[in-house]
Amino acid sequence: MLIQSARALKLPCQFLVGAATCAYQIEGAPFCDGKGESIWDRFTKKPGAIIDGSSGDIACDHYHRMSEDIALMKQLGLSAYRFSTAWTRIIPDGSGSINQAGLDFYSRLIDELLAAHIAPFLTLYHWDLPQLLQDKGGWYNRDTAYHFANYADAVSRAFGDRVKHWTTLNEPWTFCWSGYATGEDAPGLSDGARGGLVSSHHALLGHGLAVPLIRANAPDSSVGIVFDLNVVTPATTSLSDVAASKRFEGAQNRWFLDAVFKGAYPEDMLNLCGDVLPEIENSDNQIIAAPIDYLGINIYRRSIMAEGTELPPLNFQRVSPPGNYSAVNYEIWPECVYDVLQYVHQNYAPNEIFISENGLALAHEIVTDEGEIHDPIRGKYLVDHLSQIARAAKDGIPVKGYFVWTLMDNFEWAYGYTVPFGIVHVDFETQRRRIKDSGKIFAIIAKNCSDS
Ligand code: IFM
């Protein structure tokens, strides 16, 4: 039945079906070949920071098994692979000289992907800031934006001839607010709304500075940014819940989207957050609004919000309706993909949109005696979410591809290894990879798209 539904999906012609990963979550080899320390190398050693006391020190050992992993992608029939480069492999101290061995690793990865006819989608920043920059304030420090631009320049000079899709930042909402406002993620600062707003302004500035440099170094490529967005609905029709929803939506969605697509932060957020705002210099808005070619959307759930006490002055609380939930407590709600595509298309009209991450965490996955992993819930999740993309494409929304999160089980930040998201199982004792049933379903979808 699931196989039939996967076969019946009608995705647009030339639709890319890929998988996404992130350097810190899969590579391991934290200090190999001259790599410097990142904030996640440091944060994972803090007692209590990671639920199972683990780290990405070994993770999937992808640094040493990259070719094997590309063979897996080929077996799955992927047409694209979204990965991130580790800033500390390429510029170990964040702002100094280039480490050629770091560039060489990614150069080999790109060459092997191209040889396998898999399009490389390169993300420059997926949360692993060089620790030496953190020691100078990290994203609190405006200089970090300029260091990021230099790093983007170096990477795009090296790979601009071969990489045709560039992403500056992955999920600034999460890495800024969880890193600087709540302290759940590295660097672990709990500075409330001011932390989230100041760090995200500097991250967006870094994005805006990087875009023209990437364009100059990779002239015939597409440049974009990836936001984690949710369509937000109020828990009730009360004025207070409606207002709380709007505040949350302002912070998670419009703060980022308005800055990039409209050239100014939303007025209601500026009024609400008056005393915790960053310093915004005259040309900043214009720099941040550098035109982009595509928007990547990471979407895992919808958000239902009520008035509450979280992160003043946002003062919201999340409401969880009865339903089915993932191992990280996200409600399974496939319509969230259609709704977010409509929301973005209607309000910001990016030229192209990719669903750059979407996937399901399930606890307690068992390898059978036959070496199989039966995860029908994930298989159904993929079909249901991709059906919503087909629906959006039919309505004329320019959605061009889908990246499942994630290729293989890996280090899930503060959850460590307790909540696998992969369509490929990894036995972390032996590093053996096994395609799960959901991976087989995904391969059917990928094949249909590449045949069409
Ligand atoms: O694992 C993360 C990824 O690094 C960023 N987006 C969400 C994923 C699942 O939580």
Side-chain angles (χ1 to χ4, degrees):
M1 183 60 188
L2 206 46
I3 294 180
Q4 277 147 6
S5 314
R7 287 207 180 109
L9 273 174
K10 293 264 172 301
L11 290 156
C13 266
Q14 319 235 294
F15 189 81
L16 293 179
V17 177
T21 63
C22 144
Y24 186 77
Q25 292 178 270
I26 64 165
E27 285 179 1
F31 299 106
C32 264
D33 299 331
K35 181 183 168 297
E37 187 188 19
S38 81
I39 54 173
W40 276 94
D41 292 320
R42 178 76 62 96
F43 182 70
T44 48
K45 305 301 167 329
K46 196 171 136 191
I50 310 300
I51 234 173
D52 57 1
S54 66
S55 74
D57 281 0
I58 299 175
C60 308
D61 195 28
H62 170 76
Y63 190 73
H64 299 113
R65 294 166 194 265
M66 179 251 284
S67 303
E68 183 190 340
D69 292 335
I70 293 175
L72 263 177
M73 296 175 211
K74 227 179 147 182
Q75 212 180 325
L76 290 164
L78 305 186
S79 46
Y81 174 54
R82 178 171 175 250
F83 63 97
S84 72
T85 47
W87 188 339
T88 50
R89 281 198 199 284
I90 294 170
I91 305 181
D93 64 3
S95 60
S97 52
I98 290 175
N99 175 34
Q100 189 56 43
L103 278 180
D104 289 348
F105 169 69
Y106 296 110
S107 181
R108 285 196 304 276
L109 168 66
I110 292 163
D111 283 346
E112 291 192 28
L113 287 170
L114 292 173
H117 304 289
I118 298 170
F121 276 57
L122 188 155
T123 298
L124 287 157
Y125 188 77
H126 197 133
W127 308 4
D128 45 356
L129 190 76
Q131 181 60 43
L132 283 170
L133 294 185
Q134 188 59 47
D135 295 344
K136 296 178 191 147
W139 289 111
Y140 276 161
N141 186 341
R142 193 178 162 90
D143 292 348
T144 299
Y146 294 87
H147 295 315
F148 174 73
N150 289 338
Y151 157 63
D153 187 34
V155 182
S156 54
R157 265 175 208 275
F159 306 136
D161 57 338
R162 286 167 285 162
V163 172
K164 301 300 167 203
H165 287 88
W166 293 83
T167 296
T168 53
L169 308 176
N170 183 67
E171 298 188 358
W173 155 256
T174 294
F175 76 75
C176 292
W177 285 77
S178 300
Y180 293 79
T182 66
E184 292 154 77
D185 287 340
L189 302 175
S190 314
D191 294 346
R194 181 160 173 80
L197 294 168
V198 174
S199 58
S200 60
H201 177 60
H202 293 147
L204 284 169
L205 182 64
H207 154 81
L209 292 165
V211 169
L213 298 170
I214 302 169
R215 283 201 194 293
N217 296 331
D220 56 348
S221 69
S222 290
V223 188
I225 188 166
V226 166
F227 292 146
D228 44 332
L229 305 171
N230 285 176
V231 169
V232 188
T233 42
T236 70
T237 53
S238 75
L239 289 181
S240 56
D241 287 351
V242 171
S245 290
K246 187 151 188 242
R247 290 193 297 272
F248 183 82
E249 186 230 354
Q252 181 173 0
N253 299 348
R254 287 182 288 112
W255 177 263
F256 297 97
L257 289 162
D258 281 20
V260 167
F261 288 98
K262 298 187 173 168
Y265 290 116
E267 209 57 45
D268 60 335
M269 282 292 291
L270 295 175
N271 293 333
L272 177 73
C273 303
D275 39 352
V276 287
L277 285 175
E279 260 180 57
I280 303 171
E281 294 188 7
N282 282 341
S283 55
D284 288 1
N285 283 350
Q286 203 192 336
I287 294 172
I288 293 170
I292 55 172
D293 303 302
Y294 69 88
L295 178 71
I297 302 176
N298 292 357
I299 174 82
Y300 289 86
R301 57 172 161 181
R302 61 174 172 165
S303 287
I304 301 177
M305 292 295 165
E307 190 182 26
T309 54
E310 279 185 51
L311 291 169
L314 300 183
N315 293 328
F316 64 92
Q317 63 172 310
R318 184 175 287 279
V319 173
S320 300
N324 295 320
Y325 283 79
S326 76
V328 291
N329 274 325
Y330 292 173
E331 185 193 11
I332 301 177
W333 187 260
E335 289 84 352
C336 69
V337 176
Y338 180 82
D339 293 346
V340 81
L341 285 166
Q342 279 289 3
Y343 170 86
V344 163
H345 179 62
Q346 278 167 19
N347 294 302
Y348 303 94
N351 295 337
E352 295 193 334
I353 308 175
F354 289 90
I355 294 298
S356 36
E357 282 182 28
N358 170 250
L360 180 65
L362 292 171
H364 313 302
E365 292 194 309
I366 292 161
V367 182
T368 65
D369 292 344
E370 294 73 40
E372 295 184 333
I373 298 93
H374 301 309
D375 57 344
I377 300 180
R378 186 179 285 109
K380 179 170 171 8
Y381 178 102
L382 295 174
V383 171
D384 290 349
H385 285 70
L386 275 146
S387 302
Q388 296 294 327
I389 296 183
R391 185 180 155 210
K394 202 159 157 252
D395 288 354
I397 299 178
V399 52
K400 302 294 179 187
Y402 173 92
F403 292 83
V404 64
W405 186 268
T406 177
L407 176 65
M408 55 190 160
D409 295 342
N410 60 44
F411 175 75
E412 176 55 29
W413 309 114
Y415 285 97
Y417 295 92
T418 61
V419 289
F421 269 94
I423 57 169
V424 172
H425 178 271
V426 177
D427 178 332
F428 291 101
E429 301 279 308
T430 62
Q431 289 295 344
R432 176 160 181 188
R433 279 88 159 122
R434 291 182 175 94
I435 296 180
K436 301 180 189 177
D437 286 358
S438 59
K440 296 174 191 163
I441 295 288
F442 200 61
I444 293 173
I445 299 168
K447 183 163 185 333
N448 279 355
C449 281
S450 60
D451 288 349
S452 70

